[in-house]
Amino acid sequence: MPNRRSPLVLVLCAGILFAEDPDPMSAEALIETVKALSSVAPPGTVDSNGAYGWTVKGGRGPRSGGYDAARWIAARFGKAGLQPAPGRESFLVPFDVEVRWLQPDGGLSYVPAYGDPEPAQLRKDWLPLCFSAPGDVRARVVFVGYGITAPEWKYDDYAEVDVRGKVVLALAHEPREDQDGDAFEGKKLSRHGTEAEKAANAQRHGATALVIVADTKHADDEPLESDATAWPGVVPPKDRERIDSDMGRAMHLDEWTWAAGRQARHARLRAELKIPCAMARRSWIERVLPRGALDLAEAQAGIDSDLAPRSRELRERLGVAVDFRVERLPSANVVARVPGQVDEAIVVGAHYDHFDPIGRTVFPGACDNASGTAVLLGVAEALAASKPRRTVYFVAFGGEELGLQGSRAFAADPPVPLGELAAMVNLDMAGRGEEGELTLLGVVRNPELAQVARDANAEVGFTLAENIEFAWPHGSDHFAFHEAGVPSLMLTSSRFGEYHTAKDTADQVSGPKMAKVASLLSAFIERLAAGEGRFPAPKEVDVPFPSRK
């Protein structure tokens, strides 16, 4: 595991780090950077000095050479004359990559007035939600319908019950979700129907724990495993099939990476939630509750018929205990800036991390995302001496492949107030595909920002595609800024055949295309840094994935 306090030892060959390249945005300079960052060697390799100055030991993940890669990028920023973030002496801004591991000490149980508790069986009858707080609670139960408070729909399951100090029992999903019409968002699940929002709402109303059960319009024997119950070793069948397939092994799909990414999607809630939360089978709840205590089917049918809550307190008690351990691995964002003249800034980012090895199979990550990092470095070096109106932050993010953990850490603790960030531009995969084509992502959420990118492109001449808007949520580091309300856009050459495989190597990456991307990025940054107006807040737009039929 990398040590933050250990010195970085680099044997420099061919002057890659300190070469006085007259054009850091040239195809030759950019491809050399890609080669340096993707020169990985299997674990245990004796000679760690790669042809381009060094070798990332095993990869650029948190368990291999990720922290060394961050130091290398920091040295490049320093040599170019950029400045660290205000109040910092180093370009390295450490954070921990976190993964939660479920522990066996938790439990869900029915607690009768007399006699022993009746426990549920882990994975068969119940699972903790992956964003749950740890805790051990025994309290009376309040049935809260769907567990929803939605003022915009004049609907509140909590309106006539006091749940303070109680375990709340809620149906999954939301009313009338099988019908088109004006209830919530019809057949599309609104945010109110998500497990995360139900947990946050339960806590806001003072509940001491939350248990969600399948509503009666969904089969009770559906797997409890889901993105909301993502733990290493607890994987939904559809994802298990992918992980265990030949494709999954080739594409670095493993339980640890899968769980880390899914858990990180709830990073903000995970930090705020103080109550244990779980999913339970409806059949278990119906079996342990005394006859007549609660008819879930009748309650749900009543709510769906007139949208009137059927919440009520029960005499029965449930015990909810959630226990897990947190694995923390050191990582870092690399943050540099070109100071501006006003209290406004833009962020230009690219993730430098990639995957740890599996056995002795290494994943170079040349296009994903050594190419984006190379363009980021080249443009930063070219603009280091400029005098922009707005401050420009160049950020190489860690932890992207594990759920945008680096960009979420940056957005949670930015070097300037979020309100001063005018825009964020993200680079993820910049060196594959047709030479004259590039994709913009975020156009429908931030059309005004996208227009600035189109104007900049008039000088460069890419054919700009705008056809992958479905990939916006959680797709790359732009989304962490979108969640924080910052107008964002991503430039990408999009996915390619060797994506996330050991065959994503530097010889597959186009230096001329990266140079063209660098020219577009530079022109885009110059416009954003000189601008005086502010962009509107990002739009919340749902763009479904295309059908695979």
Side-chain angles (χ1 to χ4, degrees):
M1 182 185 301
N3 187 320
R4 290 177 180 155
R5 293 174 292 279
S6 64
L8 173 62
V9 179
L10 299 180
V11 177
L12 303 175
C13 299
I16 181 65
L17 183 57
F18 298 114
E20 298 296 337
D21 193 311
D23 183 5
M25 290 167 45
S26 70
E28 294 76 16
L30 296 173
I31 201 69
E32 288 298 301
T33 299
V34 170
K35 289 177 178 178
L37 286 170
S38 61
S39 294
V40 296
T45 301
V46 175
D47 184 5
S48 63
N49 300 321
Y52 302 97
W54 70 309
T55 294
V56 185
K57 297 178 181 178
R60 299 195 305 276
R63 290 172 161 171
S64 52
Y67 213 91
D68 284 343
R71 292 189 182 102
W72 189 82
I73 294 165
R76 288 279 296 267
F77 280 150
K79 178 61 179 177
L82 284 90
Q83 297 182 22
R88 289 189 173 274
E89 296 181 358
S90 172
F91 295 102
L92 296 174
V93 181
F95 69 93
D96 286 332
V97 167
E98 292 190 3
V99 184
R100 291 178 166 193
W101 293 78
L102 187 61
Q103 298 296 287
D105 296 335
L108 174 68
S109 60
Y110 168 64
V111 184
Y114 303 98
D116 296 328
E118 183 170 343
Q121 185 174 335
L122 184 66
R123 299 193 67 169
K124 178 184 176 183
D125 300 320
W126 82 290
L127 272 173
L129 297 174
C130 65
F131 45 78
S132 171
D136 189 348
V137 172
R138 290 187 178 191
R140 285 185 66 166
V141 177
V142 178
F143 173 67
V144 290
Y146 287 94
I148 290 174
T149 299
E152 68 272 33
W153 299 107
K154 298 180 180 179
Y155 180 92
D156 188 1
D157 282 310
Y158 288 86
E160 298 181 4
V161 288
D162 181 359
V163 302
R164 290 174 293 181
K166 307 295 196 314
V167 174
V168 294
L169 179 66
L171 294 165
H173 302 279
E174 61 194 13
R176 296 183 182 176
E177 67 167 331
D178 59 341
Q179 304 174 30
D180 291 320
D182 58 359
F184 293 86
E185 298 182 26
K187 293 182 179 180
K188 174 193 167 188
L189 188 69
S190 76
R191 68 177 181 86
H192 296 294
T194 65
E195 295 92 346
E197 178 58 25
K198 291 176 191 287
N201 198 34
Q203 177 165 284
R204 283 194 292 267
H205 284 89
T208 194
L210 166 69
V211 178
I212 300 175
V213 297
D215 62 287
T216 59
K217 293 181 180 178
H218 291 79
D220 190 47
D221 59 357
E222 289 183 358
L224 288 170
E225 296 89 351
S226 70
D227 285 0
T229 56
W231 308 87
V234 182
V235 182
K238 61 181 178 64
D239 291 297
R240 166 61 60 201
E241 183 176 346
R242 292 175 61 227
I243 289 171
D244 291 343
S245 69
D246 291 340
M247 182 191 73
R249 285 186 286 272
M251 291 185 65
H252 202 290
L253 289 173
D254 65 272
E255 293 183 8
W256 188 85
T257 302
W258 176 87
R262 297 307 190 275
Q263 290 178 6
R265 293 180 178 184
H266 304 289
R268 187 176 301 177
L269 176 62
R270 191 171 60 184
E272 298 172 352
L273 204 59
K274 308 299 181 185
I275 63 174
C277 302
M279 291 284 295
R281 289 213 182 279
R282 187 173 68 246
S283 55
W284 182 82
I285 291 290
E286 291 174 336
R287 185 175 71 249
V288 299
L289 290 182
R291 181 173 304 211
L294 177 64
D295 188 326
L296 288 170
E298 180 182 352
Q300 180 177 346
I303 297 171
D304 288 356
S305 67
D306 57 14
L307 296 181
R310 266 48 175 195
S311 305
R312 62 188 181 88
E313 184 170 348
L314 310 181
R315 294 182 178 182
E316 286 67 38
R317 293 160 55 89
L318 287 178
V320 185
V322 175
D323 187 30
F324 54 83
R325 68 175 177 87
V326 181
E327 179 183 11
R328 293 183 174 89
L329 300 174
S331 187
N333 292 324
V334 194
V335 182
R337 67 184 168 119
V338 179
Q341 304 163 40
V342 298
D343 291 334
E344 294 181 9
I346 63 172
V347 175
V348 184
H351 76 89
Y352 68 84
D353 70 303
H354 199 58
F355 294 117
D356 293 311
I358 297 178
R360 290 185 61 78
T361 300
V362 295
F363 296 82
C367 187
D368 184 19
N369 188 35
S371 66
T373 305
V375 172
L376 178 83
L377 281 167
V379 173
E381 290 165 347
L383 300 182
S386 63
K387 305 293 184 182
R389 177 178 178 273
R390 289 170 169 150
T391 296
V392 181
Y393 282 92
F394 292 96
V395 187
F397 295 111
E400 190 271 352
E401 301 289 8
L402 298 174
L404 320 184
Q405 297 203 35
S407 50
R408 284 183 164 125
F410 182 98
D413 187 19
V416 297
L418 283 172
E420 295 181 10
L421 294 183
M424 188 272 177
V425 181
N426 184 38
L427 287 160
D428 197 344
M429 299 181 289
R432 296 292 297 270
E434 296 295 328
E435 290 289 318
E437 296 180 1
L438 195 69
T439 298
L440 296 183
L441 179 58
V443 174
V444 300
R445 280 88 175 177
N446 301 282
E448 295 84 2
L449 180 60
Q451 187 57 50
V452 179
R454 295 189 196 101
D455 294 343
N457 183 58
E459 303 175 8
V460 180
F462 272 118
T463 298
L464 295 177
E466 301 176 1
N467 59 353
I468 60 168
E469 291 296 307
F470 57 85
W472 179 260
H474 309 288
S476 187
D477 291 307
H478 59 267
F479 193 68
F481 290 83
H482 175 82
E483 290 178 315
V486 179
S488 308
L489 197 72
M490 184 168 87
L491 309 180
T492 179
S493 58
S494 200
R495 290 193 180 188
F496 49 95
E498 295 77 21
Y499 174 75
H500 280 193
T501 74
K503 296 181 180 180
D504 179 12
T505 52
D507 61 303
Q508 303 289 321
V509 174
S510 168
K513 180 162 188 175
M514 285 192 296
K516 195 169 182 177
V517 174
S519 295
L520 171 56
L521 180 64
S522 178
F524 193 12
I525 291 172
E526 288 176 359
R527 282 168 168 75
L528 293 176
E532 296 187 4
R534 297 299 294 269
F535 296 104
K539 297 180 180 180
E540 291 297 336
V541 180
D542 178 59
V543 181
F545 269 78
S547 173
R548 296 185 179 181
K549 294 182 180 180

